[in-house]
C-alpha cells in the first residue's frame, strides 16, 4: 500500500519535473496563432479593421476580441482563409469597415505638392520619399494602397490610381465554356 | 549509328500537315516599310530602350539593352529612323499593348560594323555577356535567354548536349527547312555551345518524319572535328518537348521541379544553334528567324523574316484567302490565337497558322467530365489531368500544386483526346497564372510587413533617442549650474566637492530658471526702439504727452475700486 503510494508520488514528481522543464525549454515566444493570422492578412496596414495595422488586428482575432470579417482589402478570400484556419464559418464582409476596392497605388501630383511631409508621416510602410519643402513622390512598388496619405494632404494632391492591367500583371481568365445541353 | 531509344509515356498522333509548307523553297521576306520591335521578346526583364525617337539606326544596332542577368538585348532589324517608342500591339493572346520601338525603314538595309568573335580566345563569362547583348534567346518557343542556359554553373560542365530538331507540332516546318538548308551553320553553333558547356556527348534528335533534314544534318556532322550523333526519333507528339526528347534519347527523366541541367543535360533548339553561329561567326545579332506561314493560305511556305515584320505582310506574301478565321502563333496544339494580324513577328514566332472553318472547325460544345482518364493515358508528363481540371475548376490551387500542376508542359494532348471537348489546358493555364499572381501578392505582403515593422521600430528608436538626448542636455546644464554655485562658495565648497556637485534638483531648476530669466531681461533691455532716436522736438513732445497719458491710465487701472467709489 505504502509502496504503491510512494511509486505514484515519485512518478508524479518525475513527470511534473519533466513537464516543468519542457515548459521552460520549449517556450514559444509570441502567439503562434496571431502569426498565422498575420500571414493571411494582406499587410495593407490601412487600419480599416479598426486596429492600427494588420498585426494588432491579427492579435485581436487570436484573442477573440475581433471578428474575422473586418478586412476589406483581404476580401472574401481572406475571410475564407481565416475561417478555415480558425475552424469557424465564413461570413460576409462587415460593410461598416468599408467595401473591397480594386487594388490601387497612391499618386502625388508633383505640381501641387508643397512638401509638408504630412503624408510621409502617415505612410505605414515608408513608401513616400521626400523631405520638408521638397517635392514628395510615391515609391509605387512599395505602396500598399492603404489611402492613409490621402486625408492628411493639405492641398489634396494625392489621388488613388487603380493598377491598370498590363502584360506583366495579366492573368489567364477562368475559361468560360459553353456546355452542351443534354436532355 | 544506331542508338537504343526509349519511349516516353503518353503522346498522341495528330495529322502532321507538314507537306503543305515544306515542299516550297525557303524565301527571304521582303523588307517591310515599318518594323515594330517589342522590348519584351524573351523571358526575364524586358530590354531597356537605348535610342531616341528621330534617331537613325543601322541594321543590327542595339536599340534595347539587356536589363539584368536574365534578359536579352533587342536590335534594329534593318536601317531606318526610330519613329516611336511606346506601347504597341504585340503577339500576345490578351491583346494588351506593350513597349515597342517602331522603325521606319529606309530601304538601304545598311549594316552596322560587325565582326566575327574569336570565341575560343574569349573568357566564357565575356562570351556569354556578348551573346546576351546580341539578343540570343531560345527559338524553340520559350525564348529563354541562351546566355543563361550556356552557363554550366557550379558543375563547371554539362556532359550531355542535346540539339532539338524534333519539331513535333503539326503544320510547323521552319526547323525542318533550317536543317535542310543550313545544317553546317547549325553545327557551327553547336560547336560554340559545346565550347561553353564542356559537353562530351552531343546528340541531335530529329523526328523520323523529316528524312531530308536527318540526311543533311548527318552529312554536315561528318565534316566536324567532334562527334555528333544525329538520331532519328519516332514521330509522336510531343517528342520534341525538351523533357520528352531527353527521355527518348537517354532514357533518363528530369525529376519533378528540377531542371535538365541537374542531371547534366542541356537542350537547345536547332534555330538557337543557328542564331548562335550567325552571332559568333558573322557578328550578327538575332534580327531574323525562319517562320512557317501555313494553313488557310494559297502558298504555305517558310520565310526568313526580320523581327518586327507585321504578320499580315507574311500572310499576304503566302497568298491570303477568303474565309480565314484569324491566325495562331505556333501550331494547333500549343499555338496562341492572335488578337489581330498587324502584330509583329517576334523571336518566339515559329509559325503563323491561318485558320478557317474548314481546317479548324469550332470546338463542339463541351460536356461534363466523365472521368474516362483518356487524358491521363496520353499525358507525357505522367500527370492526372482529370484531377487537375477538377482542382483548377474549383479554385483548389493547393491541391493542384500537390498534383504537380507545374510539371504540365501545356502540350494539349489531354484537350486533344478529351471526348467531352473540355479545353483542359486553358484551365491549367488559368490555375498557373492564379498561383503566380498569389505568390506575387504574398511577396508584396511580406515586403509591406517588413517595412511596417521596421517603421514601428524606427519610430520607437527615434523617440528613445530624442528622450536620451534631452536627458543628456539637462544633465549637462545641471552640472554647469552646480559648478556656478560651487565657485563662490570658495574653499569650503572645494573641500567638500561631493556636496557641491550634488545639489538638490529643485535648487538646480530654480537656478536654471533664474539664469534664463536674467538672460531674457538682458536681451529685452538691449533692444531699444530704433525709431525714437534723433526726433524733432515737436514729435518728442507728443511722445512725452502720450507716455504721460499712458501712465495716468495705468495708475487708474491699478485702483479700479477707488474710481468705482467716486462715481456715485
Amino acid at each position: 500500500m505504502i509502496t504503491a503510494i510512494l511509486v505514484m508520488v515519485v512518478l508524479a514528481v518525475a513527470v511534473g519535473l519533466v513537464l516543468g522543464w519542457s515548459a521552460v525549454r520549449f517556450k514559444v515566444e509570441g502567439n503562434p496563432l496571431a502569426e498565422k493570422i498575420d500571414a493571411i492578412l494582406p499587410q495593407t496596414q490601412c487600419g480599416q479593421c479598426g486596429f492600427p495595422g494588420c498585426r494588432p488586428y491579427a492579435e485581436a482575432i487570436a484573442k477573440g476580441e475581433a471578428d474575422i470579417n473586418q478586412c476589406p482589402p483581404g476580401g472574401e478570400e481572406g475571410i475564407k482563409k481565416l475561417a478555415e484556419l480558425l475552424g469557424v464559418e465564413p461570413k460576409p464582409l462587415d460593410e461598416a469597415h468599408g467595401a473591397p476596392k480594386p487594388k490601387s497605388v497612391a499618386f502625388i501630383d508633383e505640381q501641387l505638392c508643397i512638401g509638408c511631409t504630412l503624408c510621409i508621416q502617415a505612410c505605414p510602410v515608408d513608401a513616400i520619399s521626400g523631405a520638408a519643402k521638397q517635392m514628395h513622390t510615391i515609391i509605387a512598388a512599395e505602396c500598399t494602397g492603404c489611402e492613409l496619405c490621402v486625408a492628411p494632404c493639405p492641398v489634396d494632391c494625392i489621388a488613388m490610381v487603380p493598377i491598370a492591367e498590363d502584360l506583366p500583371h495579366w492573368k489567364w481568365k477562368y475559361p468560360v465554356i459553353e456546355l452542351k445541353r443534354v436532355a | 549509328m544506331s542508338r537504343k531509344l526509349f519511349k516516353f509515356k503518353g503522346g498522341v498522333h495528330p495529322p502532321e500537315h507538314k507537306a503543305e509548307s515544306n515542299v516550297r523553297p525557303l524565301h527571304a521576306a521582303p523588307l517591310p516599310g515599318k518594323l515594330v520591335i517589342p522590348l519584351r521578346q524573351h523571358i526575364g526583364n524586358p530590354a531597356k530602350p537605348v535610342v531616341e525617337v528621330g534617331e537613325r539606326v543601322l541594321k543590327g544596332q542595339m536599340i534595347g539593352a539587356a536589363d539584368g542577368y536574365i534578359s536579352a538585348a533587342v536590335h534594329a532589324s534593318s536601317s531606318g529612323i526610330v519613329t516611336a517608342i511606346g506601347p504597341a500591339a504585340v503577339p500576345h493572346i490578351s491583346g494588351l499593348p506593350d513597349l515597342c520601338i517602331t522603325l521606319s525603314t529606309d530601304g538601304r538595309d545598311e549594316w552596322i560594323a560587325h565582326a566575327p568573335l574569336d570565341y575560343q580566345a574569349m573568357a566564357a563569362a565575356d562570351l556569354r555577356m556578348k551573346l546576351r547583348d546580341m539578343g540570343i534567346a531560345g527559338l524553340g518557343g520559350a525564348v529563354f535567354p541562351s546566355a543563361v542556359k550556356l552557363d554550366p554553373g557550379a558543375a563547371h560542365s554539362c556532359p550531355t548536349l542535346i540539339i532539338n530538331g524534333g519539331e513535333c507540332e503539326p503544320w510547323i516546318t521552319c526547323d525542318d527547312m533550317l536543317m535542310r538548308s543550313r545544317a553546317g551553320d547549325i553545327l557551327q553553333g553547336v560547336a560554340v555551345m559545346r565550347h561553353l558547356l564542356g559537353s562530351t556527348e552531343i546528340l541531335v534528335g530529329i523526328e523520323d518524319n523529316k528524312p531530308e533534314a536527318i540526311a543533311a544534318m548527318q552529312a554536315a556532322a561528318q565534316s566536324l572535328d567532334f562527334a555528333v550523333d544525329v538520331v532519328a526519333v519516332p514521330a509522336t507528339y510531343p517528342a520534341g518537348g525538351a523533357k520528352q526528347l531527353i527521355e527518348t534519347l537517354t532514357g533518363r527523366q528530369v525529376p519533378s521541379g528540377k531542371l535538365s541541367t541537374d542531371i547534366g543535360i542541356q537542350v537547345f533548339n536547332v534555330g538557337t544553334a543557328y542564331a548562335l553561329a550567325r552571332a559568333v561567326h558573322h557578328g550578327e545579332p538575332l534580327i531574323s528567324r525562319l517562320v512557317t506561314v501555313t494553313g488557310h493560305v494559297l502558298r504555305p511556305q517558310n520565310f526568313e523574316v526580320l523581327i518586327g515584320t507585321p504578320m499580315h505582310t507574311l500572310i499576304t506574301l503566302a497568298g491570303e484567302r477568303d474565309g480565314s478565321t484569324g491566325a495562331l502563333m505556333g501550331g494547333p496544339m500549343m499555338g496562341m490565337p492572335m488578337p489581330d494580324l498587324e502584330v509583329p513577328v517576334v523571336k518566339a514566332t515559329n509559325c503563323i497558322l491561318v485558320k478557317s472553318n474548314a481546317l479548324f472547325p469550332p470546338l463542339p460544345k463541351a460536356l461534363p467530365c466523365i472521368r474516362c482518364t483518356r487524358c491521363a493515358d496520353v499525358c507525357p508528363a505522367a500527370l492526372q489531368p482529370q484531377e487537375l481540371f477538377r482542382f483548377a475548376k474549383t479554385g483548389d490551387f493547393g491541391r493542384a500544386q500537390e498534383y504537380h500542376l507545374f510539371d504540365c508542359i501545356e502540350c494539349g494532348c489531354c484537350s486533344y483526346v478529351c471526348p467531352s471537348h473540355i479545353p483542359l489546358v486553358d484551365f491549367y493555364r488559368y490555375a498557373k497564372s492564379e498561383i503566380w499572381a498569389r505568390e506575387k501578392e504574398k511577396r508584396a505582403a511580406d515586403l509591406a510587413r517588413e517595412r511596417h515593422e521596421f517603421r514601428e521600430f524606427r519610430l520607437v528608436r527615434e523617440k528613445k533617442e530624442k528622450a536620451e538626448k534631452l536627458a543628456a542636455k539637462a544633465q549637462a546644464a545641471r552640472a554647469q549650474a552646480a559648478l556656478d554655485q560651487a565657485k563662490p562658495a570658495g574653499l569650503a565648497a572645494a573641500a567638500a566637492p561631493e556636496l557641491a556637485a550634488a545639489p538638490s534638483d529643485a535648487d538646480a531648476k530654480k537656478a536654471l530658471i533664474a539664469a534664463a530669466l536674467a538672460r531674457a531681461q538682458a536681451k529685452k533691455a538691449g533692444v531699444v526702439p530704433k525709431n525714437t532716436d534723433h526726433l524733432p522736438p515737436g514729435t518728442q513732445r507728443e511722445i512725452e504727452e502720450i507716455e504721460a497719458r499712458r501712465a495716468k491710465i495705468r495708475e487708474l487701472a491699478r485702483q479700479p475700486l477707488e474710481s468705482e467709489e467716486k462715481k456715485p
Side-chain angles (χ1 to χ4, degrees):
Chain A
M1 172 74 181
I2 303 272
T3 331
I5 289 171
L6 270 177
V7 165
M8 290 315 284
V9 166
V10 168
L11 211 64
V13 167
V15 168
L17 279 175
V18 168
L19 281 176
W21 176 80
S22 42
V24 175
R25 176 71 181 77
F26 302 108
K27 192 170 192 292
V28 180
E29 288 294 334
N31 187 344
L33 183 60
E35 292 283 335
K36 279 185 195 160
I37 297 171
D38 194 39
I40 292 173
L41 296 176
Q43 304 303 319
T44 322
Q45 316 292 356
C46 61
Q48 289 183 77
C49 52
F51 295 89
C54 296
R55 179 82 213 184
Y57 178 43
E59 272 157 17
I61 297 179
K63 280 187 208 145
E65 289 165 3
D67 215 337
I68 57 168
N69 61 348
Q70 300 181 4
C71 176
E76 203 183 317
E77 207 181 306
I79 296 174
K80 249 190 221 165
K81 277 191 197 161
L82 285 175
E84 207 171 295
L85 175 71
L86 300 169
V88 294
E89 279 298 308
K91 44 177 97 175
L93 185 71
D94 188 350
E95 293 292 328
H97 292 276
K101 287 180 197 167
K103 217 171 152 14
S104 19
V105 288
F107 174 78
I108 293 180
D109 186 342
E110 290 163 1
Q111 299 293 320
L112 295 179
C113 175
I114 53 168
C116 69
T117 75
L118 287 177
C119 57
I120 295 183
Q121 291 163 40
C123 180
V125 290
D126 285 338
I128 305 178
S129 118
K133 292 180 188 168
Q134 306 287 321
M135 187 177 70
H136 301 345
T137 198
I138 305 273
I139 307 166
E142 270 147 27
C143 175
T144 63
C146 68
E147 303 190 6
L148 290 180
C149 54
V150 177
C153 181
V155 289
D156 282 342
C157 71
I158 307 181
M160 298 306 295
V161 183
I163 297 173
E165 191 180 46
D166 57 0
L167 275 189
H169 292 104
W170 179 80
K171 286 197 287 188
W172 277 86
K173 303 286 172 290
Y174 185 81
V176 180
I177 49 170
E178 208 179 335
L179 283 181
K180 192 171 167 184
R181 195 169 284 280
V182 276
Chain B
M1 276 192 275
S2 78
R3 191 185 169 87
K4 184 181 176 338
L5 293 180
F6 301 84
K7 167 101 187 68
F8 64 89
K9 186 199 153 289
V12 289
H13 291 94
E16 285 174 1
H17 289 290
K18 302 262 189 190
E20 280 88 340
S21 54
N22 68 4
V23 289
R24 287 190 178 79
L26 183 62
H27 282 298
L31 178 66
K34 189 181 90 170
L35 292 165
V36 180
I37 302 167
L39 289 159
R40 191 197 308 273
Q41 293 190 42
H42 45 263
I43 290 188
N45 295 334
K48 277 185 175 165
V50 290
V51 288
E52 278 168 25
V53 174
E55 196 174 326
R56 178 158 194 268
V57 291
L58 296 173
K59 182 173 184 160
Q61 181 178 338
M62 188 198 284
I63 54 175
D67 179 21
Y69 183 59
I70 303 184
S71 184
V74 294
H75 300 78
S77 314
S78 184
S79 60
I81 307 286
V82 177
T83 54
I85 301 176
V90 291
H92 190 270
I93 184 169
S94 66
L96 289 169
D98 199 20
L99 195 59
C100 296
I101 296 182
T102 308
L103 296 181
S104 174
T105 56
D106 55 14
R108 279 188 271 173
D109 214 21
E110 198 180 325
W111 266 100
I112 196 167
H114 57 290
L117 304 175
D118 184 7
Y119 73 92
Q120 269 154 336
M122 286 172 85
D126 294 345
L127 179 56
R128 282 194 294 269
M129 285 302 103
K130 191 79 194 147
L131 294 174
R132 186 190 69 157
D133 292 341
M134 292 181 110
I136 310 296
L139 298 185
V143 256
F144 193 82
S146 302
V148 182
K149 277 176 76 179
L150 285 168
D151 186 352
H156 299 298
S157 79
C158 190
T160 306
L161 171 62
I162 295 180
I163 303 302
N164 188 345
E167 198 167 56
C168 53
E169 176 110 16
W171 292 96
I172 308 177
T173 56
C174 62
D175 289 350
D176 183 9
M177 294 306 282
L178 184 75
M179 286 186 284
R180 287 191 204 186
S181 54
R182 296 165 190 182
D185 284 332
I186 294 172
L187 293 175
Q188 290 301 317
V190 173
V192 182
M193 291 172 175
R194 174 177 169 264
H195 169 73
L196 278 170
L197 292 172
S199 308
T200 46
E201 184 186 32
I202 296 159
L203 305 167
V204 181
I206 306 172
E207 271 195 353
D208 57 11
N209 58 2
K210 300 184 231 334
E212 291 96 333
I214 296 170
M217 291 293 281
Q218 273 171 347
Q222 299 298 323
S223 57
L224 289 172
D225 55 357
F226 56 93
V228 173
D229 196 355
V230 180
V231 189
V233 299
T236 310
Y237 182 84
K243 289 180 180 174
Q244 285 66 40
L245 190 61
I246 289 173
E247 189 170 356
T248 309
L249 290 174
T250 67
R252 299 169 73 188
Q253 287 188 342
V254 181
S256 169
K258 294 241 171 152
L259 300 171
S260 65
T261 41
D262 295 334
I263 56 168
I265 301 174
Q266 189 61 287
V267 185
F268 285 96
N269 177 262
V270 285
T272 318
Y274 176 72
L276 198 62
R278 294 307 296 181
V280 171
H281 294 295
H282 302 267
E284 293 174 9
L286 178 52
I287 53 166
S288 68
R289 67 157 296 148
L290 261 55
V291 179
T292 308
V293 184
T294 186
H296 188 63
V297 289
L298 289 171
R299 299 173 295 278
Q301 59 185 302
N302 284 279
F303 293 105
E304 175 149 30
V305 184
L306 295 176
I307 305 291
T309 306
M311 286 187 182
H312 191 251
T313 317
L314 299 178
I315 297 173
T316 313
L317 276 175
E320 200 172 2
R321 285 171 70 179
D322 291 339
S324 89
T325 52
L328 298 174
M329 182 170 100
M333 301 295 281
M334 292 184 73
M336 297 282 174
M338 287 294 104
D340 81 271
L341 296 180
E342 283 308 315
V343 294
V345 165
V346 291
K347 291 174 187 174
T349 313
N350 50 2
C351 177
I352 300 168
L353 180 55
V354 184
K355 296 195 294 179
S356 73
N357 275 334
L359 288 174
F360 299 98
L363 264 185
K365 284 178 184 171
L367 286 163
C369 172
I370 53 168
R371 300 180 70 74
C372 64
T373 67
R374 266 202 234 175
C375 47
D377 293 341
V378 297
C379 180
L383 301 175
Q384 297 288 312
Q386 76 286 0
E387 299 293 325
L388 289 174
F389 165 63
R390 191 159 62 93
F391 299 138
K393 202 171 70 167
T394 52
D396 193 352
F397 302 125
R399 292 290 295 283
Q401 271 177 290
E402 277 170 33
Y403 276 68
H404 304 289
L405 172 68
F406 283 95
D407 284 349
C408 168
I409 57 167
E410 303 177 20
C411 63
C413 288
C414 49
S415 309
Y416 180 76
V417 296
C418 181
S420 294
H421 308 293
I422 301 169
L424 292 161
V425 178
D426 287 356
F427 281 92
Y428 309 147
R429 285 174 173 156
Y430 155 75
K432 284 182 185 178
S433 120
E434 278 296 322
I435 292 168
W436 282 322
R438 264 154 225 229
E439 274 172 11
K440 221 186 227 175
E441 260 170 39
K442 183 100 187 63
R443 277 199 298 275
D446 288 344
L447 177 73
R449 182 186 296 116
E450 196 182 299
R451 288 184 72 85
H452 180 66
E453 275 168 10
F454 180 75
R455 182 187 148 87
E456 302 277 282
F457 159 75
R458 179 172 61 81
L459 290 179
V460 170
R461 186 188 65 191
E462 273 170 12
K463 211 169 165 186
K464 204 175 130 206
E465 278 173 358
K466 211 170 167 185
E468 273 170 9
K469 219 164 138 190
L470 276 175
K473 219 171 161 185
Q475 181 73 41
R478 224 174 281 152
Q480 187 62 41
L483 225 65
D484 291 348
Q485 267 184 0
K487 259 181 208 160
L491 284 171
E498 304 91 46
L499 276 174
S504 70
D505 268 11
D507 285 352
K509 228 175 223 172
K510 261 182 205 159
L512 274 179
I513 292 168
L517 274 175
R519 272 202 305 278
Q521 262 163 11
K523 210 173 176 185
K524 212 173 176 182
V527 180
V528 185
K530 277 183 186 162
N531 57 354
T532 51
D533 299 337
H534 316 295
L535 289 173
T539 320
Q540 188 64 49
R541 207 164 40 245
E542 260 176 54
I543 289 175
E544 271 159 19
E545 263 171 40
I546 292 166
E547 285 297 331
R549 263 208 309 277
R550 275 185 185 153
K552 215 168 163 185
I553 291 167
R554 255 182 239 133
E555 195 65 27
L556 282 173
R558 220 171 277 163
Q559 300 155 343
L561 285 172
E562 283 172 37
S563 55
E564 295 256 315
E565 276 169 0
K566 274 176 196 168
K567 255 183 199 170

